[in-house]
Amino acid sequence: MQHIRNFCIIAHIDHGKSTLADRLLEFTKTVTHREMQAQLLDDMDLERERGITIKSHAIQMDMKLGGKDYVLNLIDTPGHVDFSYEVSRSIAACEGALLIVDAAQGIQAQTISNLYLALENNLTIIPVLNKIDLPGAMIEEVSDQIVDLLGCERDEIIHASGKTGFGVDNILQAIVDRVPAPTGDPKAPLKALVFDSVFNSFRGIIAYFRIYDGIIKKGEKVKFMATEKEYFADEIGILKLEKEAKSEISAGDVGYIISGIKEAREVKVGDTLTSFENPCAESIQGFEDVKPMVFAGIYPVDTEDFEELREAMYKLQLNDASLTFEPESSAALGFGFRCGFLGMLHMEIIQERLEREFGMTVITTVPNVSYHAYLNNGDMVIVNNPSDLPDPGKMAKVEEPFINAQIITKSEYIGPIMSLCLGKRGILKNQNYLTSDRVEIIFDLPLAEVVFDFFDKLKTVSRGYASFDYHPIGYVESYMVKLDILLNKDIVDALSAVIHRDRAYDWGKKICEKLKELIPQHQFEIPIQASIGAKVIARETIKALRKDVTAKCYGGDISRKRKLLEKQKEGKKRMKQVGSVEIPQSAFMAVLKLD
């Protein structure tokens, strides 16, 4: 165990984590020159296309240093705030972390929040100043920021470049010297933390674990403590670039287990794996249950695909433990799922993965957050779906979730960012200058306002310089109403939204105008209305497609034409009663991009 080091790489988005991981793998000759490619650990097409890491990736490296053989277990983590749950799980399986800071961008909001996550778990932090080969690198300035943040010495900061490979040897030396070896007793009963799992269509579910105590042997009977399921360890091994089978793995190491598990529900990330014959006394206090921030309905385009969608969701949940879902039905869309996501990017990625990996085309409804509605008799109802909001006559008050948002930006963008936050019903809490031209602004914001397009707008008004991080602070009473959209006098529940009373009129008017553009003309006139309860606050009308029935009448008496027009009018009236309005998918999506 003295020669094992477990560490992860944490940083803000786009500070070069995956590129640096590539250099570490090259330097330790874990991959051959032929196998090497950029962002080697990002194995999803989606990750490569977007240049972001979505999943944490674990890999083991062997290296010789000072005549000794060392085993290094590396976990490369995502940087986006929507995937911070992946980071928290990776941190739970490590003793050290490389904190990477981009020399051209300096310290960003996500750098700070990931650092606090690591410090809470008592990890040894190794600061790395990356991208020092860039012409815009501010090496001295950013080094000062790191010293202020960590309270470390200047010479503890390692200068490196993920592109050229400069400084990689110093990083590996620092990992061996500074990161403590794992502690644990190989003779004690088996105790391992499951920190990730993947689905393989041939082998079933593969769980990744980190052993704290004891030894796991091939073929022995093991037990998952949270689900109380028992299995035989058909195959165990370590995570090289390809999985490498072993006959036993002992305390301090990271590995995988294949035990023929077919049901996605039987593996819980954060569970404790122990021996069936000689179980450990108590399970590991892993990471807490994930709290979804954004809720949206996901429905199959064809209602017959509902069961396939359910299977796809279970398999995705294995791969991404922060996805939560439950079945629901809608009058407009049939059967589907109410899903909880950690943010808008997370929702977008899940939708895209469903389409790519499982071939499911889905419709996503308007995202919203969960509210607490208090009834007149004192009962509280949790409202995840706008249609669950009780009648205004029965409700005493509604509380909505607020977040504490930390925005770090250059001082020249303070004005536009302030007006953006205040326009989103934000409350300014604090503002302090980190350096002469970098400001930290702290706002309390309603989560519902942040859900839609806040992040995109923040990037726009700050030309991409502002970084944003948030954490929930609880529920605050607000004047919320349910806004319904009616097409041809029928409520379309998939377009309903819970919204602040002051914003309802503008929002309703915009939706009506947008739907008028997007819904194609029918043979009958379609009124589009926005209403709060029984009161209609906005209306647009889609005119009917009109066939020229009088074309065949030329000359003759006007009464002949009138007769034909009256007949057409009757037909339109009847059609309006029985006709159904086809709503294109673009109409559901357009609501997200209203401004």
Side-chain angles (χ1 to χ4, degrees):
M1 272 172 68
Q2 288 311 308
H3 296 162
I4 297 177
R5 299 286 183 273
N6 298 319
F7 69 100
C8 59
I9 302 183
I10 55 176
H12 189 74
I13 312 156
D14 203 25
H15 279 210
K17 295 178 290 298
S18 300
T19 314
L20 200 65
D22 289 351
R23 296 296 84 76
L24 292 172
L25 296 176
E26 262 180 5
F27 197 87
T28 54
K29 298 189 172 56
T30 305
V31 289
T32 60
H33 194 66
R34 203 178 55 137
E35 292 170 316
M36 196 61 215
Q37 54 171 328
Q39 277 90 40
L40 183 76
L41 295 177
D42 293 350
D43 46 14
M44 253 185 266
D45 295 342
L46 206 54
E47 291 179 311
R48 295 181 170 282
E49 278 169 31
R50 291 182 173 227
I52 57 176
T53 303
I54 294 167
K55 278 213 46 75
S56 299
H57 301 277
I59 192 165
Q60 191 176 87
M61 308 182 284
D62 296 321
M63 121 180 189
K64 253 189 164 45
L65 202 69
K68 291 180 182 169
D69 287 330
Y70 287 96
V71 173
L72 308 180
N73 289 311
L74 148 78
I75 304 180
D76 178 24
T77 66
H80 198 285
V81 64
D82 280 13
F83 305 114
S84 53
Y85 186 63
E86 289 282 330
V87 183
S88 73
R89 297 185 349 221
S90 309
I91 284 174
C94 295
E95 279 87 26
L98 293 182
L99 181 76
I100 294 180
V101 181
D102 184 333
Q105 295 182 52
I107 286 171
Q108 305 279 314
Q110 207 52 34
T111 317
I112 298 172
S113 70
N114 283 344
L115 168 70
Y116 287 153
L117 258 181
L119 289 175
E120 277 170 23
N121 285 281
N122 300 326
L123 265 62
T124 304
I125 308 290
I126 301 174
V128 177
L129 189 60
N130 195 19
K131 305 194 188 180
I132 58 163
D133 56 322
L134 286 181
M138 309 173 289
I139 295 173
E140 293 306 311
E141 199 178 316
V142 179
S143 297
D144 289 342
Q145 290 177 16
I146 296 174
V147 171
D148 286 349
L149 181 68
L150 286 175
C152 61
E153 300 298 322
R154 276 187 88 96
D155 52 6
E156 286 177 32
I157 302 170
I158 302 169
H159 291 192
S161 163
K163 193 160 99 182
T164 62
F166 173 78
V168 171
D169 48 347
N170 297 341
I171 293 176
L172 289 164
Q173 182 72 51
I175 289 166
V176 170
D177 294 346
R178 299 190 209 170
V179 176
T183 55
D185 181 2
K187 296 187 176 65
L190 173 66
K191 188 186 210 175
L193 172 76
V194 177
F195 67 88
D196 206 352
S197 57
V198 290
F199 181 78
N200 181 312
S201 43
F202 301 107
R203 312 290 308 266
I205 288 152
I206 304 172
Y208 296 165
F209 57 81
R210 149 81 202 271
I211 303 185
Y212 285 96
D213 292 325
I215 292 177
I216 185 168
K217 293 192 169 100
K218 183 180 173 177
E220 81 169 301
K221 198 170 184 186
V222 292
K223 176 178 161 188
F224 287 93
M225 289 180 84
T227 55
E228 298 198 332
K229 299 275 185 189
E230 294 141 23
Y231 300 100
F232 287 100
D234 299 337
E235 183 184 308
I236 56 169
I238 54 172
L239 300 155
K240 288 288 175 100
L241 189 59
E242 300 296 326
K243 295 179 178 61
E244 199 174 292
K246 294 273 184 199
S247 57
E248 67 173 54
I249 305 174
S250 72
D253 219 336
V254 172
Y256 71 90
I257 177 169
I258 299 176
S259 50
I261 305 171
K262 293 286 184 283
E263 280 289 312
R265 281 153 284 193
E266 291 176 19
V267 173
K268 282 219 171 12
V269 168
D271 199 352
T272 305
L273 184 67
T274 187
S275 162
F276 177 71
E277 263 93 42
N278 183 14
C280 58
E282 57 190 30
S283 57
I284 301 163
Q285 292 309 312
F287 14 85
E288 73 284 353
D289 270 344
V290 56
K291 297 182 191 71
M293 292 286 180
V294 175
F295 292 88
I298 286 188
Y299 293 84
V301 171
D302 193 346
T303 8
E304 291 164 9
D305 298 339
F306 175 69
E307 281 304 321
E308 279 173 49
L309 180 63
R310 186 199 296 266
E311 278 310 301
M313 295 291 260
Y314 276 126
K315 285 172 188 170
L316 258 186
Q317 196 176 32
L318 261 187
N319 217 316
D320 180 352
S322 52
L323 170 69
T324 57
F325 61 90
E326 54 188 43
E328 71 162 3
S329 64
S330 144
L333 301 169
F335 290 105
F337 293 97
R338 188 91 201 145
C339 304
F341 307 98
L342 296 183
M344 288 298 278
L345 176 72
H346 187 208
M347 174 174 139
E348 210 176 302
I349 295 289
I350 292 288
Q351 197 179 341
E352 200 143 329
R353 285 183 70 184
L354 280 171
E355 286 180 14
R356 287 192 185 197
E357 294 172 28
F358 304 100
M360 302 289 314
T361 39
V362 293
I363 292 176
T364 316
T365 63
V366 185
N368 62 311
V369 297
S370 68
Y371 297 91
H372 288 172
Y374 288 88
L375 304 176
N376 293 334
N377 62 7
D379 290 351
M380 186 197 62
V381 182
I382 295 178
V383 180
N384 284 341
N385 193 339
S387 54
D388 300 342
L389 195 72
D391 205 71
K394 297 177 184 164
M395 245 180 345
K397 61 176 183 176
V398 181
E399 291 182 347
E400 65 171 333
F402 263 65
I403 57 168
N404 179 266
Q406 172 198 32
I407 298 167
I408 296 178
T409 181
K410 289 197 165 181
S411 50
E412 64 212 68
Y413 302 118
I414 292 180
I417 288 175
M418 288 276 198
S419 52
L420 171 69
C421 293
L422 294 170
K424 295 275 185 190
R425 300 191 284 128
I427 304 156
L428 179 65
K429 286 290 179 186
N430 199 350
Q431 176 183 342
N432 51 34
Y433 280 79
L434 302 172
T435 61
S436 58
D437 69 335
R438 288 167 64 79
V439 187
E440 177 189 48
I441 311 172
I442 293 174
F443 266 97
D444 281 355
L445 285 161
L447 183 60
E449 299 284 347
V450 177
V451 161
F452 283 113
D453 51 4
F454 180 79
F455 194 63
D456 298 344
K457 281 194 176 160
L458 180 67
K459 286 289 181 207
T460 311
V461 298
S462 67
R463 298 199 191 147
Y465 273 110
S467 61
F468 172 70
D469 183 46
Y470 61 84
H471 60 265
I473 51 171
Y475 283 76
V476 176
E477 187 179 338
S478 295
Y479 187 10
M480 309 304 288
V481 290
K482 179 177 157 212
L483 182 74
D484 285 319
I485 301 296
L486 293 86
L487 287 180
N488 201 6
K489 307 271 173 42
D490 290 334
I491 292 179
V492 182
D493 53 0
L495 291 172
S496 297
V498 176
I499 197 160
H500 196 271
R501 186 74 179 81
D502 301 347
R503 308 286 292 276
Y505 173 72
D506 292 340
W507 178 260
K509 191 159 172 47
K510 277 182 190 161
I511 290 190
C512 290
E513 285 166 2
K514 197 79 179 173
L515 290 176
K516 185 181 177 182
E517 289 168 30
L518 292 168
I519 294 175
Q521 281 185 306
H522 287 55
Q523 295 281 346
F524 52 95
E525 188 179 273
I526 306 169
I528 304 171
Q529 295 163 308
S531 75
I532 297 171
K535 184 182 175 189
V536 174
I537 55 168
R539 171 177 171 141
E540 294 285 334
T541 308
I542 299 175
K543 293 287 180 222
L545 268 176
R546 181 165 171 267
K547 184 180 168 193
D548 192 357
V549 286
T550 58
K552 60 177 188 262
C553 277
Y554 43 91
D557 188 36
I558 183 70
S559 59
R560 289 177 62 200
K561 285 189 179 180
R562 203 163 277 150
K563 186 177 160 194
L564 286 168
L565 289 170
E566 285 298 323
K567 194 173 167 190
Q568 185 185 30
K569 197 169 164 189
E570 283 301 312
K572 294 258 186 245
K573 200 183 279 178
R574 196 165 63 249
M575 200 184 262
K576 189 167 182 171
Q577 287 164 359
V578 296
S580 62
V581 184
E582 290 287 315
I583 311 171
Q585 162 71 13
S586 57
F588 293 109
M589 294 316 291
V591 180
L592 308 185
K593 304 181 178 70
L594 264 187
D595 296 337

mmCIF file of all heavy atoms in Angstrom, residues 186 209 211 214-220 235-238 244-251 253-256:
data_model
loop_
_atom_site.group_PDB
_atom_site.id
_atom_site.type_symbol
_atom_site.label_atom_id
_atom_site.label_comp_id
_atom_site.label_asym_id
_atom_site.label_seq_id
_atom_site.Cartn_x
_atom_site.Cartn_y
_atom_site.Cartn_z
ATOM 1 N N PRO A 186 -5.465 -4.581 5.244
ATOM 2 C CA PRO A 186 -5.784 -5.664 4.299
ATOM 3 C C PRO A 186 -6.351 -6.906 4.999
ATOM 4 O O PRO A 186 -6.998 -7.730 4.369
ATOM 5 C CB PRO A 186 -4.430 -5.990 3.655
ATOM 6 C CG PRO A 186 -3.535 -4.841 3.976
ATOM 7 C CD PRO A 186 -4.028 -4.246 5.248
ATOM 8 N N PHE A 209 -14.967 0.383 -7.949
ATOM 9 C CA PHE A 209 -14.919 0.579 -6.489
ATOM 10 C C PHE A 209 -13.522 0.949 -6.035
ATOM 11 O O PHE A 209 -12.543 0.739 -6.739
ATOM 12 C CB PHE A 209 -15.377 -0.705 -5.764
ATOM 13 C CG PHE A 209 -14.567 -1.921 -6.130
ATOM 14 C CD1 PHE A 209 -13.339 -2.154 -5.538
ATOM 15 C CD2 PHE A 209 -15.030 -2.830 -7.074
ATOM 16 C CE1 PHE A 209 -12.566 -3.257 -5.886
ATOM 17 C CE2 PHE A 209 -14.263 -3.940 -7.426
ATOM 18 C CZ PHE A 209 -13.033 -4.151 -6.831
ATOM 19 N N ILE A 211 -11.188 0.173 -2.620
ATOM 20 C CA ILE A 211 -11.172 -0.652 -1.392
ATOM 21 C C ILE A 211 -10.534 0.125 -0.243
ATOM 22 O O ILE A 211 -9.443 0.679 -0.395
ATOM 23 C CB ILE A 211 -10.382 -1.967 -1.626
ATOM 24 C CG1 ILE A 211 -10.990 -2.737 -2.792
ATOM 25 C CG2 ILE A 211 -10.375 -2.819 -0.374
ATOM 26 C CD1 ILE A 211 -10.379 -4.090 -3.042
ATOM 27 N N GLY A 214 -9.422 -4.712 3.678
ATOM 28 C CA GLY A 214 -9.632 -6.087 3.239
ATOM 29 C C GLY A 214 -9.152 -6.363 1.825
ATOM 30 O O GLY A 214 -8.501 -5.542 1.192
ATOM 31 N N ILE A 215 -9.502 -7.577 1.364
ATOM 32 C CA ILE A 215 -9.078 -8.038 0.035
ATOM 33 C C ILE A 215 -10.295 -8.639 -0.668
ATOM 34 O O ILE A 215 -11.106 -9.314 -0.033
ATOM 35 C CB ILE A 215 -7.971 -9.127 0.161
ATOM 36 C CG1 ILE A 215 -6.680 -8.502 0.715
ATOM 37 C CG2 ILE A 215 -7.696 -9.801 -1.179
ATOM 38 C CD1 ILE A 215 -5.561 -9.478 0.954
ATOM 39 N N ILE A 216 -10.419 -8.388 -1.969
ATOM 40 C CA ILE A 216 -11.487 -9.044 -2.738
ATOM 41 C C ILE A 216 -10.824 -10.040 -3.679
ATOM 42 O O ILE A 216 -9.824 -9.726 -4.322
ATOM 43 C CB ILE A 216 -12.353 -8.001 -3.491
ATOM 44 C CG1 ILE A 216 -13.528 -8.697 -4.190
ATOM 45 C CG2 ILE A 216 -11.566 -7.197 -4.498
ATOM 46 C CD1 ILE A 216 -14.581 -7.731 -4.717
ATOM 47 N N LYS A 217 -11.373 -11.275 -3.691
ATOM 48 C CA LYS A 217 -10.796 -12.333 -4.537
ATOM 49 C C LYS A 217 -11.794 -12.716 -5.614
ATOM 50 O O LYS A 217 -13.008 -12.647 -5.408
ATOM 51 C CB LYS A 217 -10.485 -13.576 -3.685
ATOM 52 C CG LYS A 217 -9.373 -13.360 -2.670
ATOM 53 C CD LYS A 217 -8.944 -14.709 -2.088
ATOM 54 C CE LYS A 217 -7.668 -14.576 -1.268
ATOM 55 N NZ LYS A 217 -7.887 -14.525 0.147
ATOM 56 N N LYS A 218 -11.242 -13.173 -6.747
ATOM 57 C CA LYS A 218 -12.100 -13.615 -7.850
ATOM 58 C C LYS A 218 -12.938 -14.813 -7.404
ATOM 59 O O LYS A 218 -12.431 -15.725 -6.761
ATOM 60 C CB LYS A 218 -11.228 -13.980 -9.045
ATOM 61 C CG LYS A 218 -12.050 -14.371 -10.249
ATOM 62 C CD LYS A 218 -11.211 -14.737 -11.439
ATOM 63 C CE LYS A 218 -12.127 -15.281 -12.518
ATOM 64 N NZ LYS A 218 -11.470 -15.606 -13.734
ATOM 65 N N GLY A 219 -14.237 -14.795 -7.727
ATOM 66 C CA GLY A 219 -15.106 -15.941 -7.430
ATOM 67 C C GLY A 219 -15.738 -15.912 -6.051
ATOM 68 O O GLY A 219 -16.607 -16.718 -5.753
ATOM 69 N N GLU A 220 -15.312 -14.970 -5.170
ATOM 70 C CA GLU A 220 -15.910 -14.992 -3.823
ATOM 71 C C GLU A 220 -17.293 -14.332 -3.846
ATOM 72 O O GLU A 220 -17.636 -13.591 -4.766
ATOM 73 C CB GLU A 220 -14.985 -14.326 -2.793
ATOM 74 C CG GLU A 220 -15.031 -12.824 -2.733
ATOM 75 C CD GLU A 220 -14.290 -12.279 -1.497
ATOM 76 O OE1 GLU A 220 -14.681 -12.657 -0.385
ATOM 77 O OE2 GLU A 220 -13.349 -11.497 -1.679
ATOM 78 N N GLU A 235 -15.619 -11.674 -12.224
ATOM 79 C CA GLU A 235 -14.334 -11.141 -12.693
ATOM 80 C C GLU A 235 -14.035 -9.864 -11.930
ATOM 81 O O GLU A 235 -14.916 -9.029 -11.733
ATOM 82 C CB GLU A 235 -14.403 -10.835 -14.200
ATOM 83 C CG GLU A 235 -13.073 -10.344 -14.758
ATOM 84 C CD GLU A 235 -13.181 -9.940 -16.236
ATOM 85 O OE1 GLU A 235 -13.675 -10.738 -17.043
ATOM 86 O OE2 GLU A 235 -12.770 -8.807 -16.559
ATOM 87 N N ILE A 236 -12.800 -9.736 -11.448
ATOM 88 C CA ILE A 236 -12.372 -8.464 -10.849
ATOM 89 C C ILE A 236 -11.084 -8.047 -11.552
ATOM 90 O O ILE A 236 -10.430 -8.878 -12.185
ATOM 91 C CB ILE A 236 -12.130 -8.583 -9.317
ATOM 92 C CG1 ILE A 236 -11.110 -9.685 -9.022
ATOM 93 C CG2 ILE A 236 -13.415 -8.807 -8.577
ATOM 94 C CD1 ILE A 236 -10.617 -9.684 -7.597
ATOM 95 N N GLY A 237 -10.757 -6.781 -11.449
ATOM 96 C CA GLY A 237 -9.531 -6.357 -12.109
ATOM 97 C C GLY A 237 -9.282 -4.883 -11.905
ATOM 98 O O GLY A 237 -9.974 -4.219 -11.141
ATOM 99 N N ILE A 238 -8.241 -4.380 -12.591
ATOM 100 C CA ILE A 238 -7.872 -2.975 -12.455
ATOM 101 C C ILE A 238 -8.189 -2.234 -13.752
ATOM 102 O O ILE A 238 -8.358 -2.849 -14.804
ATOM 103 C CB ILE A 238 -6.370 -2.815 -12.092
ATOM 104 C CG1 ILE A 238 -5.501 -3.563 -13.103
ATOM 105 C CG2 ILE A 238 -6.110 -3.277 -10.672
ATOM 106 C CD1 ILE A 238 -4.031 -3.308 -12.943
ATOM 107 N N GLU A 244 -8.197 -4.862 -17.026
ATOM 108 C CA GLU A 244 -7.210 -5.937 -16.904
ATOM 109 C C GLU A 244 -7.592 -6.820 -15.717
ATOM 110 O O GLU A 244 -7.608 -6.352 -14.571
ATOM 111 C CB GLU A 244 -5.830 -5.288 -16.667
ATOM 112 C CG GLU A 244 -4.666 -6.193 -16.953
ATOM 113 C CD GLU A 244 -3.345 -5.410 -16.834
ATOM 114 O OE1 GLU A 244 -3.078 -4.522 -17.678
ATOM 115 O OE2 GLU A 244 -2.610 -5.684 -15.873
ATOM 116 N N ALA A 245 -7.935 -8.091 -15.989
ATOM 117 C CA ALA A 245 -8.418 -8.992 -14.932
ATOM 118 C C ALA A 245 -7.301 -9.365 -13.962
ATOM 119 O O ALA A 245 -6.141 -9.492 -14.343
ATOM 120 C CB ALA A 245 -9.011 -10.245 -15.559
ATOM 121 N N LYS A 246 -7.649 -9.517 -12.674
ATOM 122 C CA LYS A 246 -6.705 -9.923 -11.626
ATOM 123 C C LYS A 246 -7.368 -11.016 -10.786
ATOM 124 O O LYS A 246 -8.593 -11.145 -10.778
ATOM 125 C CB LYS A 246 -6.396 -8.729 -10.698
ATOM 126 C CG LYS A 246 -5.635 -7.598 -11.379
ATOM 127 C CD LYS A 246 -4.156 -7.854 -11.311
ATOM 128 C CE LYS A 246 -3.367 -6.697 -11.904
ATOM 129 N NZ LYS A 246 -2.027 -7.041 -12.273
ATOM 130 N N SER A 247 -6.555 -11.751 -10.021
ATOM 131 C CA SER A 247 -7.166 -12.776 -9.164
ATOM 132 C C SER A 247 -7.569 -12.188 -7.811
ATOM 133 O O SER A 247 -8.481 -12.675 -7.162
ATOM 134 C CB SER A 247 -6.198 -13.937 -8.964
ATOM 135 O OG SER A 247 -4.993 -13.434 -8.414
ATOM 136 N N GLU A 248 -6.866 -11.122 -7.367
ATOM 137 C CA GLU A 248 -7.297 -10.443 -6.136
ATOM 138 C C GLU A 248 -6.840 -8.987 -6.141
ATOM 139 O O GLU A 248 -5.869 -8.628 -6.798
ATOM 140 C CB GLU A 248 -6.775 -11.158 -4.887
ATOM 141 C CG GLU A 248 -5.271 -11.116 -4.696
ATOM 142 C CD GLU A 248 -4.873 -11.700 -3.334
ATOM 143 O OE1 GLU A 248 -5.272 -12.837 -3.040
ATOM 144 O OE2 GLU A 248 -4.169 -11.012 -2.580
ATOM 145 N N ILE A 249 -7.605 -8.141 -5.429
ATOM 146 C CA ILE A 249 -7.249 -6.714 -5.285
ATOM 147 C C ILE A 249 -7.320 -6.405 -3.798
ATOM 148 O O ILE A 249 -8.266 -6.822 -3.123
ATOM 149 C CB ILE A 249 -8.245 -5.808 -6.049
ATOM 150 C CG1 ILE A 249 -8.332 -6.227 -7.518
ATOM 151 C CG2 ILE A 249 -7.832 -4.347 -5.974
ATOM 152 C CD1 ILE A 249 -9.385 -5.475 -8.298
ATOM 153 N N SER A 250 -6.319 -5.669 -3.281
ATOM 154 C CA SER A 250 -6.315 -5.459 -1.825
ATOM 155 C C SER A 250 -6.529 -3.985 -1.475
ATOM 156 O O SER A 250 -6.669 -3.131 -2.350
ATOM 157 C CB SER A 250 -5.008 -5.974 -1.225
ATOM 158 O OG SER A 250 -3.969 -5.104 -1.593
ATOM 159 N N ALA A 251 -6.554 -3.708 -0.173
ATOM 160 C CA ALA A 251 -6.887 -2.381 0.360
ATOM 161 C C ALA A 251 -6.079 -1.263 -0.295
ATOM 162 O O ALA A 251 -4.901 -1.436 -0.600
ATOM 163 C CB ALA A 251 -6.650 -2.378 1.864
ATOM 164 N N ASP A 253 -6.526 0.070 -3.202
ATOM 165 C CA ASP A 253 -6.518 0.102 -4.661
ATOM 166 C C ASP A 253 -7.912 0.389 -5.232
ATOM 167 O O ASP A 253 -8.915 0.329 -4.534
ATOM 168 C CB ASP A 253 -5.992 -1.238 -5.200
ATOM 169 C CG ASP A 253 -5.097 -1.017 -6.420
ATOM 170 O OD1 ASP A 253 -5.262 0.030 -7.068
ATOM 171 O OD2 ASP A 253 -4.245 -1.873 -6.708
ATOM 172 N N VAL A 254 -7.932 0.679 -6.544
ATOM 173 C CA VAL A 254 -9.182 0.960 -7.250
ATOM 174 C C VAL A 254 -9.353 -0.128 -8.310
ATOM 175 O O VAL A 254 -8.389 -0.498 -8.972
ATOM 176 C CB VAL A 254 -9.107 2.347 -7.932
ATOM 177 C CG1 VAL A 254 -10.308 2.589 -8.830
ATOM 178 C CG2 VAL A 254 -9.023 3.445 -6.880
ATOM 179 N N GLY A 255 -10.574 -0.655 -8.459
ATOM 180 C CA GLY A 255 -10.771 -1.715 -9.443
ATOM 181 C C GLY A 255 -12.201 -1.785 -9.934
ATOM 182 O O GLY A 255 -13.016 -0.914 -9.648
ATOM 183 N N TYR A 256 -12.508 -2.858 -10.664
ATOM 184 C CA TYR A 256 -13.876 -3.051 -11.161
ATOM 185 C C TYR A 256 -14.329 -4.461 -10.821
ATOM 186 O O TYR A 256 -13.512 -5.358 -10.567
ATOM 187 C CB TYR A 256 -13.937 -2.826 -12.679
ATOM 188 C CG TYR A 256 -13.266 -3.897 -13.504
ATOM 189 C CD1 TYR A 256 -13.985 -5.012 -13.946
ATOM 190 C CD2 TYR A 256 -11.918 -3.811 -13.847
ATOM 191 C CE1 TYR A 256 -13.364 -6.018 -14.694
ATOM 192 C CE2 TYR A 256 -11.294 -4.797 -14.590
ATOM 193 C CZ TYR A 256 -12.029 -5.906 -15.017
ATOM 194 O OH TYR A 256 -11.419 -6.892 -15.742
#
